[in-house]
Amino acid sequence: MNATVDKEPATGDATGGAATSATNDAPVGTHADANNVPVKASTENIERVDLSLTGMTCNACARRIERRLTNSAGVRSANVNFATARASVEFDPRATEAARLIGTVAEIGYGASDAAEEGASEREQEAVREEGAQLRRRFIVAAVLSAPVLIVAMSHGRIALFNVSWINWAQLVLTLPVIFYSGRSFYQGAWTALKHRAADMNTLIATGTGAAFIYSLVVTVAPELFVADHSDAMPGMSGGMNAAPVYFEAASVIIALILLGRLLEARARGKTSDAIKRLLGLQPRTARVVREGGREVDVPVEEVVAGDVLVVRPGEKIPVDGMVLEGASAVNEAMLTGESMPVEKTAGADVFGATINGTGSFKFRATKIGRETVLQQIVRMVEQAQGQRAPIARLADVVSGYFTPIVICIAIAAFVVWFIAAPVESRLSYALVSFVSVLIIACPCALGLATPTAVMVGTGRGAEHGILVKGGEALETAHRLTTIVLDKTGTITLGQPAVTDVLPAGGFAEDELLRLAASAERGSEHPLGEAIVRRAEERGLTLANATAFNARAGHGVEAEVEGQRVLLGNLRLMEERGVELKDLRERAEALTEAGRTTVYVAIDGTAAGVVAVADEIKADSKAAVGALQRLGLEVVMLTGDNRRTAEAVARAVGITRVLAEVLPDGKAAEVKKLQAEGKRVAMVGDGINDAPALAQADTGIAIGTGTDVAIEASDITLIRGSLSGVATAIVLSRQTIKVIRQNLFWAFVYNTLGIPLAAGALYPFTGWLLSPVVASAAMALSSVSVVANSLRLRRFRL
């Protein structure tokens, strides 16, 4: 099998600057190849392959694959992400190849394929859908068939309808499909772990349910083996010719509950690829290319080659990256920079694919196409950041690795001791009862419920507060956060320019200045002009019709309003027209220092005033930042805007650390730097440009009023668009994890106290063994306590 491998990409900055290698200079480990010959991976020519994985059922599977890949010859590093079912492997191509890595994964019982192969994305999405469909079918079968078994078991023989000789056979018939169809993956996973001398949650589930089922099967098929001939033959059980009880419900109900938890988890994981699909959907499908003779031809964007000259008209998306040759316009680059202000483009300026052209028209030469465009770089950064996220170790899985072998050893030891020590006529009964009691009381029903019940209640309560959490991993990570990185535009601010100040001069009144400026801007589609018009309309001013309108790209506009020549624009335009500004310039510079964009207004060649426009800060931003700081969190602002504006906004909301003028590819890098300082980082943003940083962060938090891509790339979404939801989400995370830890503690306490009793520790003092009935009751009690504890989250308040 030949797999397609991407070399470590070179990441260029968004302004066409020199590319820098993304290759890490960390030392490379030495591994042994199949012939035990040491192979040291070189620090040069390192390649990376992303593998799509199948067959994983829990984080223990991900850890097993990661360990095996890491210990393979020539591998520099391997990261396996259970949530995305991806493995990102860096390797020395002289020591190994992608096909061999795929074979390595297959050797330990899992499937793998090159994620870069043609059609791989579609196959991956289909696999996710099929996994979800299979889980649903298995859960429905388990739930429907285990319900009557549970009813029979809970009746305890008090209902005459169930006191029939064939009732155990009926339970057996109902339980068989649950075991061999619904629970098949648990037993397969346990067998795979056993072959590699490991133990995980699958082992616990398979051991507990398997022991209960096999014991009950033998009681049903050969009840005579469990009949006591004397009343004192089985201490703790009734004497005479009484058949032993069965525990089919312990097997079937546990499988149904565990499947429910995994179904919910699979649904959350199935959405991780949506961010990539939405990013790719931003690119236009066609491009207008200038051919010989000046003909303009529409072609599929895939047919554009570097060097082609393209034409972009008003309102169109720019198809690929390039450099402007002629013409001028203002381009909305919010999908890259997150900034609402359009960027003026004239000859020599760089333009980027998927950004939106404004009112002008221009020609540009294609410089980057296909996978080299900035949009495709963002796609790759999202994929890489998601693939490199270390899987979060589930406490239950980690402990079960030690717990399960110990329980099995105790059960076997109890069987052997009682088989030797018990009376000859009852030794098999004594041995089997103690063996099964140990396994049933150690059955991981409460362990299986500990996390999903708390997560379900916690996420449900979060939704009531306008917080959408993508599964338990986001909650598990968020409670350990130390640093919150806030994007500026659309997160701290409203993301829309608005007039903040109107400073008249030359004897003009404020409303009159605003009315004339808005009348002149009425024909403009520039966001600054729209903000001026919007403020005039809000004040109820009556606008006049403008004539002789002329937009000067990169400068401003001029028009005739009620016989007066109105000029609006920047300082450069005023200087070109010889407008004397006097002290107005100093007043405008003070506004600029405060982070506002200033527009000078001149009437008939005389300075009439300044209109200041800025992206207004949200009403609750300052309070939200204060709430985060009171939680002991460091708050950092990260933005592509200029430093002066960024620092002005930061001062207004109480943030002291500002990372300004950071381009899209740099945002993820800044998050990495913070992580390298030992911080656990949450990124809060709302723009497409934030998607790589959201994916790179330990926890990505998207403002729900932002773009779909940012929301899909994040772990937590604040659907109300309020920054105060960040503090609420973190408090909710801390409370949920506290409940999960309590659940796991009590689940293990029940097992730890119950196992010695089930093994017969009290027999020398009481003369009775803990029967499987008592063991089953203790197991049920632990489950009830876990569920009841989780329900306390319904009373969550910030």
Side-chain angles (χ1 to χ4, degrees):
M1 176 178 180
N2 295 320
T4 303
V5 182
D6 290 330
K7 288 190 176 182
E8 188 70 26
T11 304
D13 64 24
T15 58
T20 57
S21 172
T23 304
N24 198 319
D25 291 331
V28 179
T30 302
H31 307 287
D33 62 13
N35 299 315
N36 292 321
V37 178
V39 178
K40 186 176 179 66
S42 171
T43 57
E44 300 177 356
N45 300 319
I46 293 295
E47 296 183 0
R48 194 193 71 250
V49 62
D50 291 330
L51 303 178
S52 296
L53 304 174
T54 57
M56 294 193 299
T57 58
C58 63
N59 278 321
C61 298
R63 292 197 301 272
R64 191 174 301 124
I65 296 172
E66 186 172 280
R67 283 196 299 269
R68 186 61 177 266
L69 287 172
T70 301
N71 293 327
S72 298
V75 173
R76 179 186 186 185
S77 67
N79 290 282
V80 178
N81 190 329
F82 174 61
T84 58
R86 286 282 187 100
S88 180
V89 187
E90 290 184 347
F91 63 95
D92 184 346
R94 294 170 298 182
T96 188
E97 60 181 357
R100 187 179 298 178
L101 298 174
I102 291 171
T104 298
V105 175
E107 288 173 3
I108 55 175
Y110 302 94
S113 61
D114 186 354
E117 286 182 345
E118 185 175 354
S121 179
E122 290 76 11
R123 290 195 300 272
E124 196 171 329
Q125 293 167 24
E126 179 60 31
V128 170
R129 285 192 293 269
E130 178 59 27
E131 177 189 16
Q134 286 184 2
L135 276 173
R136 280 193 298 274
R137 289 193 295 267
R138 289 163 51 200
F139 168 69
I140 290 171
V141 169
V144 170
L145 296 182
S146 62
V149 176
L150 179 61
I151 293 171
V152 172
M154 296 301 291
S155 71
H156 299 295
R158 297 191 184 96
I159 301 177
L161 177 64
F162 302 143
N163 291 331
V164 291
S165 59
W166 46 264
I167 193 63
N168 285 359
W169 286 98
Q171 293 183 77
L172 173 60
V173 170
L174 291 170
T175 304
L176 281 171
V178 178
I179 295 292
F180 292 102
Y181 172 68
S182 298
R184 181 178 58 204
S185 65
F186 301 135
Y187 300 104
Q188 290 174 337
W191 175 245
T192 300
L194 181 62
K195 288 192 296 184
H196 295 91
R197 291 174 293 181
D200 54 22
M201 185 64 83
N202 285 324
T203 310
L204 279 174
I205 297 169
T207 302
T209 58
F213 175 75
I214 292 173
Y215 173 79
S216 301
L217 175 65
V218 175
V219 169
T220 301
V221 174
E224 63 276 5
L225 295 177
F226 297 89
V227 175
D229 294 323
H230 306 284
S231 60
D232 60 348
M234 281 294 295
M237 297 181 66
S238 58
M241 299 294 291
N242 295 316
V246 293
Y247 305 99
F248 287 117
E249 82 286 352
S252 58
V253 173
I254 287 172
I255 289 175
L257 291 171
I258 300 299
L259 284 174
L260 175 59
R262 292 196 172 175
L263 178 62
L264 296 173
E265 186 176 19
R267 285 182 176 176
R269 290 192 289 117
K271 296 180 180 179
T272 55
S273 62
D274 288 351
I276 305 299
K277 290 188 292 184
R278 292 182 188 275
L279 276 173
L280 294 174
L282 292 172
Q283 187 168 7
R285 298 183 181 276
T286 61
R288 187 172 294 108
V289 181
V290 178
R291 297 302 189 193
E292 293 182 6
R295 291 184 304 111
E296 296 181 6
V297 181
D298 288 338
V299 301
V301 72
E302 293 82 6
E303 296 182 10
V304 176
V305 297
D308 277 348
V309 175
L310 294 86
V311 177
V312 180
R313 294 175 181 169
E316 293 181 340
K317 283 186 178 181
I318 298 171
V320 295
D321 295 2
M323 184 182 71
V324 177
L325 298 176
E326 60 181 75
S329 185
V331 176
N332 182 349
E333 295 185 345
M335 59 83 58
L336 289 177
T337 65
E339 300 307 319
S340 56
M341 299 295 183
V343 180
E344 303 291 345
K345 300 292 182 181
T346 55
D350 292 316
V351 291
F352 308 101
T355 56
I356 302 173
N357 183 32
T359 57
S361 178
F362 60 88
K363 291 182 180 180
F364 75 98
R365 175 175 287 111
T367 56
K368 294 181 180 179
I369 60 171
R371 292 176 60 84
E372 297 177 354
T373 64
V374 171
L375 175 65
Q376 289 289 342
Q377 288 181 27
I378 292 176
V379 170
R380 285 203 301 276
M381 283 189 287
V382 173
E383 290 177 333
Q384 291 166 20
Q386 288 183 341
Q388 291 170 1
R389 182 183 294 148
I392 302 170
R394 304 278 187 194
L395 181 59
D397 276 340
V398 173
V399 176
S400 67
Y402 302 96
F403 182 71
T404 304
I406 293 173
V407 168
I408 293 173
C409 290
I410 293 173
I412 293 173
F415 181 92
V416 172
V417 168
W418 285 110
F419 193 81
I420 296 172
V424 175
E425 66 275 12
S426 303
R427 62 184 181 184
L428 180 59
S429 295
Y430 273 74
L432 285 175
V433 165
S434 61
F435 177 78
V436 174
S437 294
V438 169
L439 291 177
I440 287 180
I441 208 165
C443 195
C445 186
L447 290 177
L449 289 170
T451 298
T453 54
V455 168
M456 288 172 65
V457 178
T459 53
R461 190 63 180 143
E464 295 175 10
H465 284 269
I467 301 165
L468 298 182
V469 183
K470 292 184 178 178
E473 284 197 357
L475 287 171
E476 289 178 348
T477 307
H479 86 284
R480 294 192 298 267
L481 294 172
T482 60
T483 302
I484 309 296
V485 178
L486 303 177
D487 175 51
K488 179 180 76 67
T489 305
T491 303
I492 296 176
T493 65
L494 293 171
Q496 183 181 47
V499 173
T500 59
D501 303 89
V502 179
L503 304 180
F508 284 90
E510 183 176 316
D511 281 357
E512 180 64 9
L513 173 65
L514 182 60
R515 187 183 73 84
L516 291 173
S519 297
E521 288 282 10
R522 233 173 153 184
S524 172
E525 296 181 4
H526 196 288
L528 293 180
E530 292 176 348
I532 294 172
V533 172
R534 190 164 52 248
R535 176 53 58 88
E537 292 174 344
E538 289 172 356
R539 289 194 180 185
L541 302 178
T542 302
L543 304 186
N545 292 324
T547 58
F549 177 84
N550 180 34
R552 297 282 308 280
H555 291 73
V557 300
E558 57 183 335
E560 191 169 307
V561 180
E562 297 177 340
Q564 301 177 87
R565 196 68 186 167
V566 181
L567 186 68
L568 292 92
N570 55 24
L571 180 62
R572 189 187 317 164
L573 179 61
M574 297 297 144
E575 291 175 342
E576 284 183 4
R577 295 301 179 88
V579 178
E580 183 64 37
L581 298 175
K582 298 180 182 179
D583 64 332
L584 193 60
R585 182 169 181 174
E586 293 181 3
R587 296 167 69 187
E589 288 177 351
L591 292 172
T592 303
E593 287 292 334
R596 299 177 177 124
T597 300
T598 54
V599 179
Y600 291 94
V601 183
I603 308 295
D604 291 331
T606 301
V610 172
V611 178
V613 178
D615 187 3
E616 290 185 314
I617 295 172
K618 293 180 180 178
D620 66 342
S621 289
K622 184 173 183 179
V625 170
L628 291 170
Q629 292 169 339
R630 286 192 295 273
L631 290 173
L633 299 164
E634 176 189 16
V635 182
V636 179
M637 189 173 80
L638 177 66
T639 179
D641 208 345
N642 66 77
R643 177 161 294 279
R644 185 164 52 186
T645 300
E647 290 181 344
V649 172
R651 283 194 301 272
V653 297
I655 297 175
T656 56
R657 185 171 181 179
V658 179
L659 304 174
E661 300 176 4
V662 180
L663 294 172
D665 54 347
K667 287 193 174 183
E670 290 294 340
V671 171
K672 281 185 180 179
K673 288 179 183 177
L674 291 170
Q675 290 170 326
E677 295 174 12
K679 305 177 187 295
R680 294 188 180 273
V681 182
M683 174 68 194
V684 186
D686 76 323
I688 294 167
N689 65 298
D690 300 321
L694 288 168
Q696 174 62 44
D698 296 283
T699 300
I701 303 177
I703 301 294
T705 51
T707 64
D708 289 342
V709 173
I711 292 170
E712 294 296 342
S714 67
D715 303 299
I716 299 173
T717 300
L718 309 179
I719 59 177
R720 293 175 183 168
S722 172
L723 192 59
S724 61
V726 178
T728 305
I730 292 172
V731 173
L732 175 64
S733 166
R734 292 178 178 179
Q735 290 294 324
T736 304
I737 296 306
K738 181 179 179 180
V739 169
I740 289 174
R741 287 174 173 167
Q742 291 170 347
N743 287 348
L744 292 172
F745 171 78
W746 286 113
F748 284 118
V749 164
Y750 275 106
N751 285 335
T752 303
L753 294 178
I755 288 171
L757 300 180
L762 293 181
Y763 180 78
F765 308 101
T766 62
W768 55 268
L769 292 177
L770 182 69
S771 74
V773 174
V774 177
S776 181
M779 181 186 66
L781 182 59
S782 67
S783 301
V784 170
S785 68
V786 162
V787 174
N789 193 45
S790 297
L791 290 175
R792 291 192 304 111
L793 284 168
R794 297 173 65 179
R795 299 193 298 270
F796 167 78
R797 295 288 187 276
L798 178 60

